[in-house]
């Protein structure tokens, strides 16, 4: 193999791709006219890079099919993620309590305390009777509340308070459900809590007390 063949073989890939200079192209063409080895090498290069239109179409079909599948998978994952987030949000709204709105449920008109059988009883009626739990607290003489104020002093306790709670999801209803039923729940025996001088409804949103019962000074 001559040095000229080595140079031409280096140019053959460029010639095959038609990216060589005009001078190099002429040199290759002149050489392969008289050199069968280099001519055969050029034919091999052209066979290797030849592409079948049918194969091209099959490759494109596979690519498109894969893209559709990937798009479908991404769509399914997105839908599942959204459904999962909505499900968790619904669980949170159902299982989390929130203080009932004072005005919306007319708490002051629908919540009262009665005294009978030596005990105090909480009475709830109307829309307020849709509460799901009762949250108790105790106040001290400085106006601090247990569970809400860090400075609450148990040694100075003088009041017992309650707050009606509902599920967060129920708080979204535009109109509160009216109810004719009256709910009564015993709170405690008066004689058992001699240090309690008042019972109040506690609006924990605005930190405000509504006194429902006060101990008689003669007790």
């Amino acid at each position: 193999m001559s040095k000229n063949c080595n140079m031409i073989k280096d140019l053959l890939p460029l010639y095959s791709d038609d990216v060589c200079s005009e001078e190099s192209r002429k040199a290759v063409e002149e050489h392969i006219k008289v050199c069968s080895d280099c001519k055969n090498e050029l034919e091999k290069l052209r066979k290797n890079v030849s592409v079948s239109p049918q194969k091209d179409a099959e490759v494109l079909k596979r690519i498109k099919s894969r893209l559709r599948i990937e798009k479908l998978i991404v769509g399914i994952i997105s839908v599942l993620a959204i459904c999962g987030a909505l499900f968790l949000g619904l669980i949170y709204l159902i299982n989390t309590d929130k203080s009932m709105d004072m005005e919306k449920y007319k708490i002051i008109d629908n919540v009262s305390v009665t005294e009978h059988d030596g005990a105090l009883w909480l009475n709830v009626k109307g829309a307020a009777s849709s509460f799901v739990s009762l949250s108790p607290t105790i106040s001290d003489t400085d106006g601090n509340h247990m569970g809400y104020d860090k400075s609450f002093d148990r040694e100075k306790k003088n009041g017992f308070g309650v707050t009606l709670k509902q599920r967060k999801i129920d708080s979204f209803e535009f109109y509160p459900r009216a109810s004719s039923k009256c709910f009564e729940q015993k709170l405690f025996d008066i004689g058992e809590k001699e240090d309690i001088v008042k019972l109040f409804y506690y609006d924990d949103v605005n930190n405000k007390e509504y006194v429902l019962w006060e101990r008689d000074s003669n007790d």
Side-chain angles (χ1 to χ4, degrees), residues 97-99 122 131-138 146-148 160-166 185 187 200-202 204:
D97 292 345
K98 177 182 179 181
S99 298
L122 181 70
F131 75 97
V132 296
S133 63
L134 193 67
S135 178
T137 186
I138 297 175
M146 181 182 67
Y148 298 95
F160 182 87
V162 294
T163 305
L164 297 183
K165 301 284 185 176
Q166 65 179 167
Q185 177 175 326
L187 296 174
F200 57 90
Y201 186 89
Y202 183 50
D204 57 358

Side-chain angles (χ1 to χ4, degrees), residues 112-142:
S112 61
V113 169
T114 55
E115 179 182 343
H116 60 83
D117 301 325
L120 293 179
W121 299 77
L122 181 70
N123 299 280
V124 184
K125 63 181 181 179
S129 62
S130 63
F131 75 97
V132 296
S133 63
L134 193 67
S135 178
T137 186
I138 297 175
S139 66
D140 61 22
T141 54
D142 297 323

Side-chain angles (χ1 to χ4, degrees), residues 40-100:
N40 292 334
E41 189 69 24
L42 177 61
E43 290 176 355
K44 289 180 181 179
L45 285 172
R46 285 176 172 172
K47 286 181 179 179
N48 290 337
V49 299
S50 63
V51 180
S52 168
Q54 184 177 357
K55 288 184 178 180
D56 271 357
E58 291 176 357
V59 170
L60 288 174
K61 284 182 180 179
R62 285 199 298 269
I63 293 174
K64 288 181 179 179
S65 177
R66 181 163 183 171
L67 288 175
R68 283 196 298 267
I69 293 173
E70 289 179 352
K71 199 172 184 179
L72 179 62
I73 292 174
V74 170
I76 292 174
I77 291 174
S78 299
V79 170
L80 290 176
I82 293 172
C83 291
L86 291 174
F87 178 73
L88 291 176
L90 181 62
I91 294 297
Y92 170 76
L93 291 174
I94 291 176
N95 293 284
T96 305
D97 292 345
K98 177 182 179 181
S99 298
M100 299 185 79

Side-chain angles (χ1 to χ4, degrees), residues 1-10 31 35 37-38:
M1 182 181 294
S2 66
K3 291 184 179 179
N4 196 32
C5 283
N6 288 334
M7 182 188 71
I8 294 301
K9 285 187 176 181
D10 288 340
H31 181 79
C35 181
D37 288 341
C38 290

